[in-house]
Amino acid sequence: MSENTTGNWPLWEVFVRSSRGLSHVHAGSLHAPDATMAVRNARDLYTRRNEGTSVWVVPADAITSSDPDSKGGYFESAQGKSYRHATYYTKSEGVKHL
Amino acid sequence: MTEQTTSTENSVDQQHFDTLIADDSRIEPRDWMPEAYRKTLTRQVSQHAHSEIIGMQPEANWITRAPSLKRKAILMAKVQDEAGHGLYLYSAAETLGTPREVLNEQLLSGKAKYSSIFNYPARTWADMGAIGWLVDGAAICNQVPLCRASYGPYGRAMVRICKEESFHQRQGWEILYELSHGSKEQKQMAQDAVNRTYGPALQMFGPPDADSPNSQQSMEWNIKRFSNDELRQRFVDMIVPQAEALGLTLPDPDLKWNEERGHYDYGQLDWDEFMSVIKGSGPCNVQRMQRRRKAHDDGAWVREAAEAYAKRQMQAAAEAAGSADDNEEVSIVAGRASAELIGA
Ligand SMILES: [Fe+2]
Ligand SMILES: [Fe+2]
């Protein structure tokens, strides 16, 4: 993480697990000087009404994302591969539990 | 890169953007977007954030004088929510590329605008009721359609905000209900607060459609879903029966049911006053800005201390990593810190 001047704290992305058995889901972001403060602020900001049982914070600049300029092309490879889905296989219609 | 390639690329980008808008899909932070779209949204979302932050002041003014411990707790929770709304919205605005300290500076320097409703004073406890019922009520009316705004982070922030606003409106309505069912003086106090707040609350939807030149573009971009006048009408139709249930009147002699339109007609609002408050001549413009700047300055030592602490912790962690093998105690501390980070 880089050096920061006052009021220019790093950005943290916040993920909240809304209840046991569910994944953490992105809730938003916040600025904080360090991870401990980020977790505390995330609790105050994103879970004022029992919205969470657990919070993750991740430095925003630690996240690597898929190529934003590909306009979906990056994810198109599955098209034309309908055989990856169960619905592709029709011979078994009427056969139970299959 | 030649100029021609750039313009071809831009038009492909533009086409992709137009398709997403036409499909009523969402634009996400790293998508290409027209500069004007980015600029409009940055201004709208940050002004919205500033309004939440400045909007804490009229009510914070009454926390220490709330009539009971219960009312005090409720009011504190509401004001805290408004701070939260400001932060959700700054977080959304930042995804458009303008850093937080720039947004903050725009507010503190007076360069940025915020909703002019907050430049009116909260004179009595009944104003806590009128603000919650009418100001938060108008905000909800405005914000519910914004949950479907085409810019993803803005829409998501609005969903979060709208969930919390209904508590704000109801607690305000209930304050007025208690007062209007109390003594004669209390009822009068409630009526006075409603009389003061009604006009400015209706103006929260912005100028009449004919005088709102930017609305059309925002509607084409699916940022705005309904016109200012449509939303204002919707709000008037909602609050008339709510006022009746309170046993209070709305200060508008022209307010009456129009059978033909199926809506309430309402009178002209004072748009000259509205413009003069926006331009800085409202009763509290100066006070609100002074208060905000003072709060920012008074908090400087807290920010500095937190930063100094963070820096020292980082240094300690770096030193510990350097001699981790021969310093068991420090590595346990570091291990605990990272466990907290991943919520283990
Ligand atoms: Fe709010
Ligand atoms: Fe509110």
Side-chain angles (χ1 to χ4, degrees):
Chain A
M1 232 169 297
S2 53
E3 283 250 306
N4 289 283
T5 54
T6 300
N8 190 13
W9 292 340
L11 186 67
W12 304 80
E13 297 297 336
V14 178
F15 300 80
V16 177
R17 184 201 294 287
S18 58
S19 69
R20 291 181 178 279
L22 296 176
S23 303
H24 287 75
V25 173
H26 185 241
S29 63
L30 52 78
H31 289 271
D34 59 32
T36 312
M37 286 292 281
V39 168
R40 279 186 200 161
N41 293 354
R43 178 200 59 189
D44 292 348
L45 186 55
Y46 290 104
T47 66
R48 287 195 300 283
R49 290 177 175 78
N50 293 325
E51 291 98 333
T53 59
S54 161
V55 174
W56 287 351
V57 297
V58 181
D61 59 11
I63 293 176
T64 307
S65 59
S66 55
D67 179 12
D69 297 327
S70 65
K71 300 183 188 59
Y74 194 71
F75 299 100
E76 266 163 16
S77 61
Q79 275 183 9
K81 293 183 183 170
S82 47
Y83 51 82
R84 286 176 188 254
H85 298 276
T87 48
Y88 177 79
Y89 306 91
T90 55
K91 293 280 182 329
S92 53
E93 257 165 44
V95 181
K96 282 183 178 170
H97 306 301
L98 193 73
Chain B
M1 202 187 288
T2 66
E3 224 164 87
Q4 206 178 348
T5 2
T6 312
S7 83
T8 318
E9 276 181 13
N10 274 345
S11 76
V12 171
D13 286 334
Q14 178 78 52
Q15 258 173 32
H16 183 64
F17 175 85
D18 292 344
T19 310
L20 288 173
I21 296 292
D23 293 346
D24 201 0
S25 184
R26 297 293 178 265
I27 308 299
E28 294 295 343
R30 298 191 61 182
D31 288 333
W32 182 91
M33 60 189 88
E35 242 353 270
Y37 177 85
R38 187 185 300 276
K39 233 177 111 183
T40 298
L41 269 166
T42 303
R43 195 185 52 230
Q44 179 171 338
V45 180
S46 61
Q47 281 182 6
H48 197 156
H50 301 328
S51 302
E52 302 281 356
I53 297 299
I54 297 291
M56 288 192 280
Q57 292 186 36
E59 289 170 303
N61 178 39
W62 279 91
I63 288 176
T64 55
R65 288 173 287 163
S68 69
L69 194 55
K70 185 182 90 175
R71 291 288 173 200
K72 189 180 205 168
I74 292 171
L75 194 55
M76 279 202 293
K78 181 184 187 286
V79 172
Q80 190 194 12
D81 276 352
E82 305 302 1
H85 297 174
L87 293 178
Y88 302 156
L89 287 161
Y90 281 129
S91 151
E94 272 189 286
T95 64
L96 290 156
T98 308
R100 174 75 59 90
E101 64 270 24
V102 173
L103 299 173
N104 197 35
E105 185 46 40
Q106 287 172 349
L107 173 62
L108 293 175
S109 69
K111 194 176 157 232
K113 298 243 175 298
Y114 55 86
S115 180
S116 69
I117 187 83
F118 301 117
N119 288 319
Y120 291 90
R123 295 193 193 285
T124 69
W125 171 251
D127 286 70
M128 299 304 95
I131 289 173
W133 174 42
L134 294 173
V135 176
D136 290 79
I140 294 172
C141 211
N142 217 358
Q143 288 168 356
V144 166
L146 286 173
C147 295
R148 293 187 294 125
S150 59
Y151 188 57
Y154 190 30
R156 293 192 285 274
M158 292 319 308
V159 169
R160 205 170 275 284
I161 288 173
C162 284
K163 274 187 198 158
E164 302 180 350
E165 287 292 357
S166 50
F167 140 60
H168 298 179
Q169 193 186 19
R170 279 193 183 207
Q171 65 84 34
W173 192 87
E174 221 167 280
I175 288 173
L176 291 177
Y177 184 89
E178 299 285 347
L179 290 171
S180 70
H181 290 76
S183 68
K184 226 175 116 191
E185 289 78 12
Q186 286 173 323
K187 184 168 185 181
Q188 189 56 47
M189 188 165 86
Q191 184 63 61
D192 289 344
V194 170
N195 291 352
R196 281 196 297 275
T197 314
Y198 172 80
L202 259 57
Q203 291 178 320
M204 286 172 68
F205 297 97
D209 292 348
D211 307 322
S212 181
N214 299 325
S215 285
Q216 191 54 37
Q217 179 62 75
S218 283
M219 287 177 87
E220 278 164 21
W221 278 330
N222 291 343
I223 297 172
K224 204 172 163 55
R225 300 282 180 167
F226 301 97
S227 80
N228 296 355
D229 287 330
E230 282 174 311
L231 291 169
R232 189 165 16 244
Q233 181 70 64
R234 188 179 290 183
F235 182 60
V236 170
D237 290 346
M238 285 193 293
I239 61 172
V240 171
Q242 291 171 357
E244 281 165 11
L246 286 173
L248 298 174
T249 59
L250 296 170
D252 183 350
D254 298 324
L255 193 66
K256 61 171 185 296
W257 179 250
N258 183 324
E259 191 66 59
E260 206 176 301
R261 292 200 310 126
H263 292 289
Y264 284 92
D265 289 335
Y266 57 93
Q268 271 294 322
L269 298 164
D270 188 348
W271 293 107
D272 291 339
E273 182 191 291
F274 179 77
M275 289 317 293
S276 101
V277 175
I278 282 193
K279 291 203 176 98
S281 315
C284 296
N285 296 56
V286 174
Q287 180 191 330
R288 299 290 185 240
M289 287 310 297
Q290 276 174 353
R291 182 76 194 82
R292 181 70 218 117
R293 289 193 195 106
K294 186 174 184 308
H296 184 75
D297 294 344
D298 289 352
W301 71 270
V302 180
R303 295 192 296 276
E304 280 158 19
E307 202 167 315
Y309 182 77
K311 204 177 273 176
R312 215 164 54 200
Q313 292 294 97
M314 232 181 328
Q315 278 162 1
E319 279 161 27
S323 59
D325 291 338
D326 46 69
N327 194 337
E328 204 183 336
E329 198 187 335
V330 176
S331 79
I332 288 169
V333 172
R336 196 187 298 147
S338 70
E340 184 172 4
L341 180 64
I342 59 165

